[in-house]
C-alpha cells in the first residue's frame, strides 16, 4: 500500500526511530500539529521522493505545500505522478 510506503520513507529519511508507521495517522498534518516536521525535514523528504519516485517538487510552490499536508496527500501526489 502506497501510504505504508510513504510512512516507511518518512521514518527512514528523517530517522524517526521512536515512531512506527502504525503510529502515523495518514490524515494528520505532517507539519506543526501532527508529526511536527519542519522545513529541513520537508527538504530531506522532497529529495527522497525525487530519488525514489522521480518526482520533482518546487520548494515554494503552493501545490508542494498542499502535497506535503499529510501522508494521504503525498500518496495521492505519487499516484497521480505514476499515471502520467
Amino acid at each position: 500500500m502506497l501510504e505504508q510506503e510513504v510512512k516507511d520513507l518518512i521514518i527512514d529519511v528523517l530517522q524517526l526511530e521512536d515512531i512506527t508507521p502504525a503510529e502515523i495517522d495518514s490524515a494528520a498534518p505532517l507539519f506543526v500539529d501532527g508529526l511536527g516536521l519542519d522545513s529541513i525535514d520537508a527538504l530531506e523528504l522532497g529529495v527522497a521522493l525525487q530519488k525514489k519516485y522521480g518526482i520533482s517538487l518546487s520548494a515554494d510552490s503552493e501545490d508542494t505545500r498542499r502535497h506535503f499536508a499529510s501522508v494521504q496527500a503525498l500518496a495521492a501526489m505519487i499516484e497521480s505522478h505514476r499515471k502520467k
Side-chain angles (χ1 to χ4, degrees):
M1 182 174 197
L2 191 52
E3 286 184 14
Q4 183 66 38
E5 271 184 45
V6 172
K7 290 177 183 183
D8 290 339
L9 185 70
I10 290 169
I11 289 170
D12 186 45
V13 169
L14 303 180
Q15 299 173 350
L16 304 176
E17 296 161 2
D18 56 343
I19 192 168
T20 67
E23 293 174 303
I24 299 174
D25 180 350
S26 294
L30 293 177
F31 298 90
V32 187
D33 297 332
L35 276 182
L37 303 184
D38 61 24
S39 58
I40 302 298
D41 296 328
L43 185 61
E44 290 179 18
L45 194 51
V47 170
L49 288 167
Q50 189 169 7
K51 286 180 181 175
K52 184 164 183 162
Y53 300 106
I55 296 171
S56 181
L57 301 164
S58 171
D60 55 357
S61 163
E62 191 59 42
D63 284 343
T64 299
R65 287 190 187 98
R66 197 173 66 246
H67 295 318
F68 275 77
S70 67
V71 169
Q72 287 174 341
L74 279 174
M77 185 233 351
I78 293 165
E79 191 64 42
S80 70
H81 184 266
R82 286 180 172 174
K83 292 178 181 174
K84 288 182 181 177

